[in-house]
Amino acid sequence: MPLSSMTGFARSTGSDSSGAWGWEVKSVNGRGLDLRCRVPAGLDHLEPVARAAAAERFKRGNLSLTLTLDRSQETRRYRINRPLLDELLALGDELSRRVSGDLPRLEGLLAVPGVVEASGAQDDEEQKRARDQGFTRSLYEALDQLAVARRAEGDKLAKVIEDRLAEIAALTEAAASSAAAQPAAA
Protein backbone atom coordinates (compact mmCIF):
# COMPACT_ATOMS: atom_id res chain seq x y z
CA MET A 1 0.00 0.00 0.00
CA PRO A 2 1.53 3.39 -0.97
CA LEU A 3 2.02 5.71 1.96
CA SER A 4 2.49 9.45 1.62
CA SER A 5 4.39 11.38 4.23
CA MET A 6 3.73 15.00 5.11
CA THR A 7 7.39 16.00 5.27
CA GLY A 8 9.33 17.18 2.27
CA PHE A 9 11.16 19.99 0.53
CA ALA A 10 11.31 21.21 -3.06
CA ARG A 11 12.71 24.14 -4.99
CA SER A 12 12.11 25.37 -8.51
CA THR A 13 13.71 28.34 -10.25
CA GLY A 14 13.17 30.44 -13.33
CA SER A 15 14.47 33.59 -14.95
CA ASP A 16 13.82 36.18 -17.61
CA SER A 17 15.49 39.37 -18.79
CA SER A 18 14.69 41.19 -15.53
CA GLY A 19 16.16 38.63 -13.16
CA ALA A 20 15.79 35.25 -11.56
CA TRP A 21 13.37 33.81 -9.03
CA GLY A 22 12.89 30.72 -6.98
CA TRP A 23 10.01 29.04 -5.19
CA GLU A 24 10.89 27.07 -2.09
CA VAL A 25 8.25 24.82 -0.56
CA LYS A 26 8.58 22.97 2.73
CA SER A 27 6.15 20.61 4.35
CA VAL A 28 5.97 19.09 7.83
CA ASN A 29 3.34 17.03 9.63
CA GLY A 30 0.05 18.64 10.52
CA ARG A 31 -3.52 17.57 11.20
CA GLY A 32 -5.07 19.72 8.50
CA LEU A 33 -3.70 21.87 5.74
CA ASP A 34 -1.97 24.99 7.06
CA LEU A 35 -0.47 27.20 4.35
CA ARG A 36 2.00 30.02 4.89
CA CYS A 37 2.92 32.00 1.80
CA ARG A 38 5.54 34.73 1.46
CA VAL A 39 5.95 36.73 -1.73
CA PRO A 40 7.90 39.95 -2.33
CA ALA A 41 6.13 43.30 -2.17
CA GLY A 42 4.29 44.07 -5.36
CA LEU A 43 3.61 40.41 -6.11
CA ASP A 44 0.80 39.95 -3.60
CA HIS A 45 -1.51 38.86 -6.44
CA LEU A 46 0.49 35.59 -6.59
CA GLU A 47 -0.39 34.55 -3.04
CA PRO A 48 -3.97 33.39 -3.80
CA VAL A 49 -2.66 31.49 -6.83
CA ALA A 50 -0.03 29.75 -4.67
CA ARG A 51 -2.54 28.91 -1.94
CA ALA A 52 -5.04 27.47 -4.44
CA ALA A 53 -2.36 25.40 -6.22
CA ALA A 54 -1.12 23.96 -2.92
CA ALA A 55 -4.66 23.20 -1.70
CA GLU A 56 -5.36 21.33 -4.97
CA ARG A 57 -2.39 19.03 -4.44
CA PHE A 58 -2.30 18.54 -0.66
CA LYS A 59 -4.93 17.89 1.99
CA ARG A 60 -2.73 17.76 5.11
CA GLY A 61 0.51 19.23 6.42
CA ASN A 62 2.00 22.56 7.37
CA LEU A 63 3.25 24.02 4.10
CA SER A 64 5.49 27.02 3.69
CA LEU A 65 5.71 28.57 0.21
CA THR A 66 8.31 31.28 -0.37
CA LEU A 67 9.08 33.21 -3.55
CA THR A 68 12.46 34.96 -3.72
CA LEU A 69 13.63 37.34 -6.41
CA ASP A 70 17.10 38.22 -7.65
CA ARG A 71 16.88 41.37 -9.71
CA SER A 72 20.66 41.87 -9.87
CA GLN A 73 20.54 41.72 -13.67
CA GLU A 74 18.23 44.70 -13.77
CA THR A 75 19.77 48.16 -13.82
CA ARG A 76 17.99 50.37 -11.35
CA ARG A 77 18.13 54.07 -10.97
CA TYR A 78 16.62 56.06 -8.17
CA ARG A 79 14.86 59.37 -8.29
CA ILE A 80 13.45 61.71 -5.69
CA ASN A 81 9.72 62.37 -5.76
CA ARG A 82 10.22 66.15 -5.49
CA PRO A 83 6.55 67.12 -5.04
CA LEU A 84 6.26 64.75 -2.07
CA LEU A 85 9.59 65.90 -0.60
CA ASP A 86 8.56 69.58 -0.99
CA GLU A 87 5.26 68.80 0.74
CA LEU A 88 7.08 67.12 3.63
CA LEU A 89 9.51 70.04 3.97
CA ALA A 90 6.63 72.53 4.01
CA LEU A 91 4.88 70.47 6.70
CA GLY A 92 8.12 70.38 8.67
CA ASP A 93 8.45 74.19 8.47
CA GLU A 94 4.83 74.63 9.54
CA LEU A 95 5.19 72.25 12.47
CA SER A 96 8.47 73.78 13.62
CA ARG A 97 6.68 77.13 14.13
CA ARG A 98 4.02 75.43 16.27
CA VAL A 99 6.02 72.80 18.14
CA SER A 100 9.53 72.97 19.53
CA GLY A 101 11.91 70.24 18.47
CA ASP A 102 14.38 69.24 15.84
CA LEU A 103 13.53 69.46 12.17
CA PRO A 104 13.37 66.19 10.29
CA ARG A 105 16.77 65.00 9.15
CA LEU A 106 17.59 64.01 5.59
CA GLU A 107 17.68 60.26 6.28
CA GLY A 108 14.27 60.49 7.94
CA LEU A 109 12.78 62.28 4.95
CA LEU A 110 14.31 59.83 2.49
CA ALA A 111 12.88 56.92 4.51
CA VAL A 112 9.29 58.11 4.03
CA PRO A 113 7.61 55.69 1.59
CA GLY A 114 7.37 57.21 -1.87
CA VAL A 115 10.09 59.87 -1.47
CA VAL A 116 12.75 57.70 -3.12
CA GLU A 117 11.45 55.78 -6.11
CA ALA A 118 13.30 53.02 -7.91
CA SER A 119 13.06 53.23 -11.64
CA GLY A 120 14.22 50.45 -13.86
CA ALA A 121 13.07 49.28 -17.19
CA GLN A 122 9.31 49.53 -16.86
CA ASP A 123 7.54 46.41 -18.00
CA ASP A 124 4.46 46.59 -20.13
CA GLU A 125 1.42 44.49 -19.27
CA GLU A 126 2.43 41.68 -21.61
CA GLN A 127 5.87 41.39 -19.96
CA LYS A 128 4.25 41.35 -16.51
CA ARG A 129 1.80 38.66 -17.62
CA ALA A 130 4.63 36.57 -19.08
CA ARG A 131 6.65 36.93 -15.87
CA ASP A 132 3.63 35.96 -13.76
CA GLN A 133 3.20 32.87 -15.94
CA GLY A 134 6.87 32.03 -15.32
CA PHE A 135 6.35 32.47 -11.56
CA THR A 136 3.30 30.21 -11.70
CA ARG A 137 5.03 27.56 -13.82
CA SER A 138 7.92 27.44 -11.33
CA LEU A 139 5.46 27.22 -8.44
CA TYR A 140 3.68 24.24 -10.03
CA GLU A 141 7.03 22.52 -10.63
CA ALA A 142 8.02 23.01 -6.97
CA LEU A 143 4.65 21.72 -5.70
CA ASP A 144 4.86 18.68 -7.99
CA GLN A 145 8.40 18.00 -6.74
CA LEU A 146 7.15 18.29 -3.16
CA ALA A 147 4.44 15.72 -3.88
CA VAL A 148 7.12 13.34 -5.22
CA ALA A 149 9.33 13.99 -2.17
CA ARG A 150 6.45 13.34 0.21
CA ARG A 151 5.59 10.11 -1.61
CA ALA A 152 9.24 8.97 -1.46
CA GLU A 153 9.35 9.75 2.26
CA GLY A 154 6.12 7.78 2.69
CA ASP A 155 7.61 4.81 0.84
CA LYS A 156 10.61 4.87 3.19
CA LEU A 157 8.31 4.99 6.22
CA ALA A 158 6.21 2.13 4.83
CA LYS A 159 9.36 -0.01 4.47
CA VAL A 160 10.37 0.73 8.09
CA ILE A 161 6.86 -0.18 9.29
CA GLU A 162 6.79 -3.38 7.23
CA ASP A 163 10.20 -4.40 8.63
CA ARG A 164 9.00 -3.77 12.20
CA LEU A 165 5.79 -5.72 11.64
CA ALA A 166 7.79 -8.65 10.22
CA GLU A 167 10.11 -8.49 13.25
CA ILE A 168 7.12 -8.47 15.62
CA ALA A 169 5.59 -11.46 13.79
CA ALA A 170 8.88 -13.40 14.03
CA LEU A 171 9.24 -12.60 17.75
CA THR A 172 5.59 -13.57 18.38
CA GLU A 173 6.12 -16.89 16.62
CA ALA A 174 9.34 -17.52 18.56
CA ALA A 175 7.62 -16.69 21.83
CA ALA A 176 4.71 -18.99 21.06
CA SER A 177 7.03 -21.91 20.40
CA SER A 178 9.21 -21.37 23.49
CA ALA A 179 8.96 -23.87 26.35
CA ALA A 180 7.72 -21.22 28.77
CA ALA A 181 4.63 -20.65 26.60
CA GLN A 182 3.84 -24.39 26.53
CA PRO A 183 2.90 -25.66 30.02
CA ALA A 184 2.82 -29.31 28.88
CA ALA A 185 6.42 -29.06 27.65
CA ALA A 186 7.53 -27.54 30.93
Side-chain angles (χ1 to χ4, degrees), residues 4-13 22-29 38 58 62-68 138-154 156:
S4 181
S5 170
M6 285 184 268
T7 60
F9 171 84
R11 181 166 174 72
S12 181
T13 60
W23 279 100
E24 191 172 276
V25 292
K26 300 175 189 174
S27 173
V28 295
N29 292 342
R38 286 183 289 205
F58 306 104
N62 296 321
L63 270 68
S64 174
L65 305 114
T66 304
L67 174 63
T68 56
S138 295
L139 169 66
Y140 292 167
E141 288 172 10
L143 290 171
D144 291 344
Q145 289 173 20
L146 179 64
V148 169
R150 284 173 51 149
R151 220 171 357 268
E153 182 70 15
K156 288 178 189 175

Side-chain angles (χ1 to χ4, degrees), residues 6 28-34 59-62:
M6 285 184 268
V28 295
N29 292 342
R31 288 183 183 212
L33 183 61
D34 180 22
K59 300 301 175 216
R60 294 185 62 203
N62 296 321

